[in-house]
């Protein structure tokens, strides 16, 4: 109903409805499309998605970082890549992993998940050769986001999902505060298994943290939908513009209340901005994390 996965009790209601189905009718895909029962997303839809993500920028002056990117043979080439380029970043692509190929021929162990450090090896190599400041990769449906950057010693290392979440939140809090847009009604969301550092960061900045959700981004989406529709979720009272970001330890990031599931494009934009700010100071994302 809200553009995300259902949570209890609605998920059970869907299961029960499916169980009552007695007959399934089918027709050829082309016939269904000709009859108007299939709607294709066109250039205008894609442009609206890119434009929305561009609007999530927290500081359009932060564009100095060079980004290496791999879509790991998935659809991140149509989401993260055009957003970063439209924002004005120089992006170097791991071209041998750019094709959309469900066999994932260049990914070690056929595991195109940036949670797995081995999946980041090729984009790190591209980043090192290009002199990039950070390397990003997405899984096949471009909701999980992987990150690597050189440490103070120059050695490239991958970040965990919890570390990525801390960096994303740091950028959101810092830039909103600098713009005078940080309010006590603002809030961040995380799942129970995601680092509690996020709660401590939020409280130190004077904003709230919904931090004890069950595992799964659908519960985060439920909070966002409830705030939109009712202005509250349990004891949280807020408006849509009070949403800062939502994170989970399995490399899921969301920086807009317009979407009900994790999506890598907005998070990639924020990380590239943060890397730009650090590069201007002669530092890396690891320096920021250590702070």
């Amino acid at each position: 109903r809200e553009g995300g996965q259902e949570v209890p009790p609605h998920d059970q209601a869907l299961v029960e409805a499916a169980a009552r189905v007695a007959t399934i009718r089918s027709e050829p895909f082309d016939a269904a499309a000709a009859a108007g029962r299939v709607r294709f997303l066109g250039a205008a839809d894609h442009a609206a998605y890119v434009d929305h993500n561009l609007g999530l920028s927290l500081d359009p002056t932060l564009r100095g970082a060079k980004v290496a990117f791999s879509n790991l043979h998935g659809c991140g080439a149509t989401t993260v890549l055009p957003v970063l380029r439209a924002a004005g970043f120089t992006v170097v692509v791991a071209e041998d992993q750019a094709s959309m190929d469900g066999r994932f021929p260049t990914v070690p162990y056929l595991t195109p998940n940036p949670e797995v450090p081995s999946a980041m090896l090729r984009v790190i190599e591209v980043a090192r050769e290009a002199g990039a400041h950070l390397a990003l990769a997405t899984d096949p449906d471009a909701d999980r986001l992987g990150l690597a950057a050189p440490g103070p010693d120059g050695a490239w290392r991958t970040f965990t999902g919890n570390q990525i979440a801390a960096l994303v939140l740091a950028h959101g809090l810092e830039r909103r505060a600098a713009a005078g847009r940080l309010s006590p009604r603002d809030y961040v969301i995380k799942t129970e298994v995601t680092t509690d550092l996020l709660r401590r960061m939020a409280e130190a900045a004077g904003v709230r943290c919904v931090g004890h959700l069950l595992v799964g981004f659908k519960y985060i989406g439920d909070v966002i939908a409830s705030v939109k529709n009712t202005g509250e979720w349990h004891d949280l009272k807020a408006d849509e513009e009070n949403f800062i970001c939502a994170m989970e330890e399995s490399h899921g990031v969301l920086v807009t209340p317009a979407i009900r599931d994790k999506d890598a494009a907005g998070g990639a934009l924020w990380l590239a901005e943060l890397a730009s700010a650090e590069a201007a100071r002669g530092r890396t994302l690891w320096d920021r994390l250590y702070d």
Side-chain angles (χ1 to χ4, degrees):
R1 296 174 305 161
E2 293 290 342
Q5 301 177 61
E6 294 289 5
V7 300
H10 307 297
D11 53 355
Q12 183 61 33
L14 285 174
V15 170
E16 293 170 356
R20 292 193 295 270
V21 173
T23 303
I24 299 176
R25 293 182 297 168
S26 65
E27 64 180 315
F29 181 86
D30 290 343
R37 285 186 281 275
V38 176
R39 176 178 177 268
F40 292 89
L41 298 179
D45 299 293
H46 188 253
Y49 172 84
V50 172
D51 288 345
H52 178 79
N53 278 282
L54 293 178
L56 301 174
S57 171
L58 294 177
D59 189 340
T61 69
L62 297 175
R63 295 294 182 267
K66 179 182 285 189
V67 185
F69 175 70
S70 174
N71 52 292
L72 297 178
H73 298 292
C75 71
T78 68
T79 60
V80 171
L81 183 58
V83 167
L84 290 177
R85 284 182 167 163
F89 285 99
T90 299
V91 185
V92 182
V93 176
E95 295 291 351
D96 53 338
Q97 297 185 327
S99 63
M100 294 193 189
D101 189 339
R103 297 170 299 170
F104 313 113
T106 68
V107 183
Y109 313 114
L110 305 182
T111 308
N113 185 346
E115 290 182 79
V116 181
S118 62
M120 299 287 295
L121 290 176
R122 177 57 183 147
V123 73
I124 289 174
E125 183 180 4
V126 170
R128 187 184 295 113
E129 292 173 353
H133 297 89
L134 71 161
L136 299 170
T138 50
D139 64 343
D141 58 346
D143 57 358
R144 285 183 170 84
L145 180 63
L147 170 68
D153 61 354
W156 282 78
R157 301 183 181 88
T158 58
F159 292 77
T160 68
N162 281 326
Q163 292 169 333
I164 292 170
L167 289 172
V168 169
L169 179 56
H171 185 59
L173 292 173
E174 181 177 298
R175 296 297 157 180
R176 283 174 75 115
R181 293 177 48 221
L182 203 60
S183 161
R185 286 173 60 87
D186 290 347
Y187 69 100
V188 301
I189 314 175
K190 75 177 190 72
T191 54
E192 175 70 39
V193 298
T194 303
T195 175
D196 208 44
L197 174 62
L198 305 181
R199 177 188 60 78
R200 297 172 65 184
M201 292 170 65
E203 291 177 353
V207 303
R208 295 162 297 174
C209 178
V210 176
H212 297 291
L213 298 181
L214 294 174
V215 177
F217 227 89
K218 63 182 181 180
Y219 297 104
I220 291 173
D222 183 54
V223 175
I224 297 171
S226 179
V227 168
K228 176 187 177 182
N229 294 329
T230 69
E232 61 183 15
W233 183 84
H234 292 245
D235 61 344
L236 172 73
K237 298 186 185 303
D239 299 313
E240 273 196 294
E241 60 265 25
N242 295 126
F243 173 80
I244 300 176
C245 55
M247 291 80 65
E248 64 176 2
E249 52 80 32
S250 55
H251 291 241
V253 175
L254 182 65
V255 299
T256 171
I259 301 176
R260 297 291 180 269
D261 208 339
K262 53 188 178 289
D263 188 72
L269 178 62
W270 282 22
L271 289 172
E273 289 185 345
L274 183 58
S276 298
E278 295 304 323
R281 302 168 60 195
R283 291 163 33 110
T284 76
L285 289 175
W286 284 106
D287 293 308
R288 186 69 181 93
L289 182 67
Y290 295 150
D291 287 346

